Amino acid sequence: MPVIKYPRLRDPLFYEWDRKAQKCGLRHTIYAVNGDQYTGEWLDNLRHGKGTQIWKSTGEIYSGDWKFGKRDGYGAYSILDPETKDYKRVYTGWWENDRRCGRGTFFYPNGELYEGEWSNGVRSGWGKMHYKDGSTYEGQWLMDQPNGPGLLQLPNGNRYDGGWKDGKKHGPGKFFYPDKGQLLEGIWVADIPKCGVLVEFGREEAPAPPELPLPEIKLQDPAGVLAEAQAMFDDSHN
């Protein structure tokens, strides 16, 4: 005998309850089962728009833009100091797909600071790093390491301006020693100068020049020597 199904006069109550539970638009604070809380805008039951999320287990807080449940846009991320119970800013800047991406400023626990570009959560692009010893690096980054042209300035005034690779001096560059009144121009490989020309540079104004001046070495063509070394360097890396 065939079974005949008649249309329902109304849907069960849980359908109505489910529709009402779908968060959309601006809401007051919503608490998760684990104690996390979010205050802000929603779309299709996902955090979307402006909002603030607080993670109960870690005390972390993010306030800014959201897109389909992930941090996306401009926002600030902070952590709770267990001793002072105050929030300490960790990162302020742009996000994409829940990762740091675009321009932003990162505050490290040891007092160091990075201002610049990010990609997929790591330093990548142009940026400036302030180290705790007082030195700074400004230049290109790739995969969280100095990579490409960049300028390193040391606390004593000495500075290196040249190429970098995987966080080390690599390629043609100039190392200025204002404290000694000297300049080294040459080729570096993995932080080691392989060849170059050392010349006097402002020796009269240098605070601690060497006791004896550099011996005079007559070269037919100093620029040609460096050009030849550059060509050898390029050939070895092609």
Side-chain angles (χ1 to χ4, degrees), residues 59-213:
E60 300 168 273
I61 181 172
Y62 170 81
S63 182
D65 296 325
W66 297 80
K67 187 175 180 180
F68 301 119
K70 295 183 178 181
R71 292 169 289 188
D72 200 297
Y74 189 85
Y77 169 73
S78 304
I79 60 174
L80 186 65
D81 190 316
E83 296 182 358
T84 64
K85 302 302 179 182
D86 294 328
Y87 279 102
K88 298 176 62 176
R89 184 66 54 86
V90 176
Y91 175 78
T92 301
W94 293 90
W95 302 73
E96 183 178 320
N97 197 29
D98 226 23
R99 292 175 177 267
R100 295 184 290 274
C101 188
R103 292 197 60 84
T105 302
F106 193 94
F107 303 86
Y108 291 85
N110 61 1
E112 296 182 343
L113 170 69
Y114 173 79
E115 304 170 282
E117 297 177 310
W118 298 78
S119 179
N120 203 29
V122 298
R123 294 168 292 187
S124 190
W126 191 266
K128 185 174 184 178
M129 184 73 188
H130 302 260
Y131 298 97
K132 61 181 180 180
D133 64 356
S135 59
T136 62
Y137 168 82
E138 183 173 8
Q140 283 292 137
W141 295 75
L142 181 64
M143 297 300 294
D144 224 30
Q145 294 284 354
N147 223 309
L151 172 64
L152 173 68
Q153 300 196 69
L154 302 177
N156 62 1
N158 294 348
R159 65 188 186 275
Y160 169 81
D161 188 1
W164 295 78
K165 183 179 180 181
D166 299 331
K168 297 181 179 181
K169 295 181 282 292
H170 195 88
K174 298 179 181 179
F175 209 124
F176 297 85
Y177 300 91
D179 58 337
K180 298 180 180 179
Q182 295 178 342
L183 163 64
L184 174 61
E185 182 177 1
I187 305 294
W188 273 257
V189 176
D191 251 359
I192 300 174
K194 292 296 184 177
C195 68
V197 178
L198 183 65
V199 298
E200 302 283 359
F201 183 80
R203 178 183 174 87
E204 295 77 12
E205 296 81 20
E211 183 177 352
L212 299 175

Side-chain angles (χ1 to χ4, degrees), residues 10-50:
R10 58 173 297 178
D11 290 331
L13 284 177
F14 68 82
Y15 279 100
E16 183 179 355
W17 295 338
D18 186 61
R19 283 194 296 270
K20 289 183 179 180
Q22 295 300 308
K23 297 176 283 295
C24 189
L26 181 63
R27 291 294 184 98
H28 295 295
T29 302
I30 302 295
Y31 292 89
V33 176
N34 61 3
D36 295 350
Q37 60 185 68
Y38 173 80
T39 306
E41 297 176 295
W42 298 78
L43 179 64
D44 295 334
N45 216 32
L46 295 172
R47 292 162 293 185
H48 190 91
K50 301 287 185 181

